[in-house]
Amino acid sequence: MDQLERQKRIVEYLKVKPISHGQVYTFQIAIPETESLEISPDRFEALSNSFKQQNTNLIPVIVRRTDAYSEEEDYEVVYGVDWCLVARELEIEKLWVWVFDMTDEEVVLAKQEIEQLLGRAETPVPDIVKQVETLLKRHVENSLEKKLKHYSDSIKETINEIQENVNSLSQEFRVLDNSFSKLSQSVVFANMTIKQLQALAKERGLKKYSNKKKGELIDLLLNS
């Protein structure tokens, strides 16, 4: 499935309503009891280090507007519970979010679609490293130099594969963020009039926009 088809499916599943993208206070985001999870020490450390370096989340959290919680909690997390939990633990003031209006059924479909988009990382990196270390220890204890060398080479290959998987996952996160960004802009532009689009094009310093149709103006703005 190519990127364009995935975007179309997201729009179809979510039945996108007014969307916004920006920062909200961490205390405004509610976490449903059904979404409580136990974060592994390795995952917690990775997110914690990212927060400490950036002071915010590099990957936006997906939320929906709600009035089902306290007066302060205006949003409910849809995807990114682990980011929210670590942010609370570290007292991170604000988080980057994508805000959708969606029903409970649409939330389920959205999660399924996101899992498909990020579905390549099936085995956590720390688990792979632990397996490799166990193999190495076993053969050191048996003093089998030949087998030790064999597994040492295997470890190097595994580490290379791990690095490739990490790089691939990072690229997928960037693609996902870019896809949501373009999707958000497309929805916003689609709800604007031609005059509003022309005014925006003028504000951005774009040229040759005055005679363009609405679809052409949207393409021009999306690619500017």
Side-chain angles (χ1 to χ4, degrees):
M1 183 188 304
D2 59 24
Q3 182 175 335
L4 180 59
E5 186 176 353
R6 281 179 174 170
Q7 290 178 358
K8 289 181 179 178
R9 285 184 62 186
I10 291 173
V11 174
E12 179 183 355
Y13 284 154
L14 299 185
K15 299 177 182 177
V16 178
K17 300 176 181 68
I19 303 172
S20 63
H21 174 237
Q23 285 187 307
V24 301
Y25 287 99
T26 303
F27 66 77
Q28 291 181 283
I29 304 174
I31 300 177
E33 293 183 3
T34 55
E35 290 294 332
S36 60
L37 55 83
E38 186 173 333
I39 306 174
S40 69
D42 295 295
R43 178 63 173 168
F44 185 92
E45 182 179 2
L47 296 183
S48 177
N49 288 339
S50 179
F51 273 126
K52 289 175 181 177
Q53 291 171 7
Q54 308 297 331
N55 200 35
T56 188
N57 49 320
L58 288 177
I59 302 171
V61 173
I62 299 175
V63 301
R64 64 171 174 172
R65 294 187 294 189
T66 181
D67 56 4
Y69 298 90
S70 66
E71 293 183 0
E72 290 185 339
E73 294 171 311
D74 300 316
Y75 309 97
E76 179 184 74
V77 63
V78 174
Y79 198 86
V81 174
D82 50 355
W83 284 95
C84 293
L85 290 173
V86 176
R88 288 184 178 183
E89 184 76 17
L90 299 179
E91 298 183 349
I92 300 298
E93 183 180 16
K94 292 183 178 181
L95 291 173
W96 284 102
V97 300
W98 284 99
V99 182
F100 287 81
D101 282 332
M102 60 180 86
T103 64
D104 293 342
E105 181 180 6
E106 290 168 345
V107 166
V108 174
L109 293 173
K111 289 180 181 178
Q112 292 175 352
E113 181 65 15
I114 294 169
E115 290 293 347
Q116 289 181 2
L117 288 170
L118 303 179
R120 291 187 181 179
E122 297 178 353
T123 305
V125 169
D127 289 350
I128 298 175
V129 174
K130 185 176 180 180
Q131 294 171 16
V132 173
E133 291 175 346
T134 301
L135 286 174
L136 178 58
K137 181 178 179 180
R138 183 185 304 162
H139 290 285
V140 168
E141 291 173 347
N142 293 334
S143 300
L144 299 175
E145 294 183 3
K146 185 176 180 180
K147 287 189 177 181
L148 178 59
K149 184 180 183 304
H150 168 74
Y151 282 101
S152 177
D153 293 338
S154 298
I155 290 171
K156 292 179 182 179
E157 294 178 3
T158 303
I159 290 174
N160 290 335
E161 292 177 3
I162 292 172
Q163 187 60 53
E164 291 177 3
N165 289 335
V166 170
N167 292 339
S168 176
L169 183 59
S170 297
Q171 178 63 26
E172 286 189 22
F173 276 126
R174 287 193 291 270
V175 170
L176 178 62
D177 188 46
N178 184 60
S179 297
F180 274 116
S181 179
K182 290 242 178 178
L183 174 62
S184 175
Q185 291 183 62
S186 297
V187 173
V188 172
F189 293 158
N191 291 324
M192 296 173 67
T193 65
I194 290 181
K195 287 185 177 180
Q196 290 174 325
L197 292 170
Q198 289 175 338
L200 183 57
K202 181 179 180 181
E203 180 181 330
R204 293 187 179 182
L206 303 179
K207 299 179 180 180
K208 299 181 179 179
Y209 60 84
S210 57
N211 296 324
K212 291 185 179 295
K213 297 179 180 179
K214 184 172 183 178
E216 295 173 332
L217 282 170
I218 292 175
D219 289 337
L220 179 64
L221 290 167
L222 286 175
N223 294 313
S224 64

